[in-house]
Amino acid sequence: MPLHPLDGRGVLQTPGRHVSRFRTRWYEEKGRYEIFAGGKSVGLESAAHSLVLDPDAIARGGQTDLDEKGIAKTAREEKLRARDRANEDARMAELCRQVVLKEARPELATGPRIQGLKK
C-alpha cells in the first residue's frame, strides 16, 4: 500500500484532491509503487506515454448532440428520467380524477383529527 506523501499513513487508491495534488511530486521523489495484476508483479519501465490530443477536437468542446436531442448519456440519467415520467404520470392521473371525473381530493391526514384546546 502506498504511503501518504505528508505523514506516511497508508493511502487507498481512491483519487481525491488531497492525494492527487502531491502524487506527481511523490512519484518523482520516491518512485512508483509496485503494480500487481492477476497476482503477478507488472513491470512499468517508464511513465511516459504516446497519447496525442487532437487540437481541433479540443477546440470544438464537449459533445452536446445527445443533450439537444434529450437522450440520456448514463444509466443514472435514464433512471432519473423514468422516475420523473412515472411521477408526472401519477400527477396527471390524479389531476384527471379530480377535474374530469369530479372525484374528491383525498385527505392528506388519514388518522383521527386532533382538535385544539378550547378557552
Side-chain angles (χ1 to χ4, degrees):
M1 177 182 334
L3 300 178
H4 193 277
L6 293 181
D7 61 10
R9 289 180 298 162
V11 176
L12 296 176
Q13 284 303 101
T14 55
R17 288 188 196 124
H18 66 285
V19 175
S20 62
R21 194 172 13 183
F22 302 105
R23 195 174 278 163
T24 304
R25 188 177 70 199
W26 171 261
Y27 290 155
E28 289 171 357
E29 293 174 1
K30 311 221 183 207
R32 293 186 176 265
Y33 45 88
E34 195 171 5
I35 300 172
F36 291 91
K40 298 179 181 178
S41 177
V42 177
L44 182 64
E45 291 81 32
S46 171
H49 59 81
S50 60
L51 177 65
V52 178
L53 300 176
D54 182 13
D56 295 332
I58 294 171
R60 278 195 302 264
Q63 180 181 359
T64 60
D65 59 336
L66 297 177
D67 294 330
E68 293 165 0
K69 294 178 181 179
I71 299 172
K73 292 182 276 187
T74 63
R76 181 178 187 278
E77 283 183 27
E78 288 178 354
K79 288 178 184 178
L80 290 174
R81 289 180 185 188
R83 185 190 67 192
D84 291 344
R85 276 193 304 273
N87 289 343
E88 181 66 13
D89 290 347
R91 191 180 73 80
M92 292 305 291
E94 179 65 27
L95 189 62
C96 179
R97 282 193 294 274
Q98 289 175 16
V99 174
V100 177
L101 301 176
K102 307 289 186 210
E103 290 182 3
R105 186 174 186 184
E107 292 291 327
L108 295 178
T110 57
R113 298 202 175 226
I114 300 174
Q115 296 181 356
L117 300 174
K118 296 181 182 177
K119 290 187 178 183

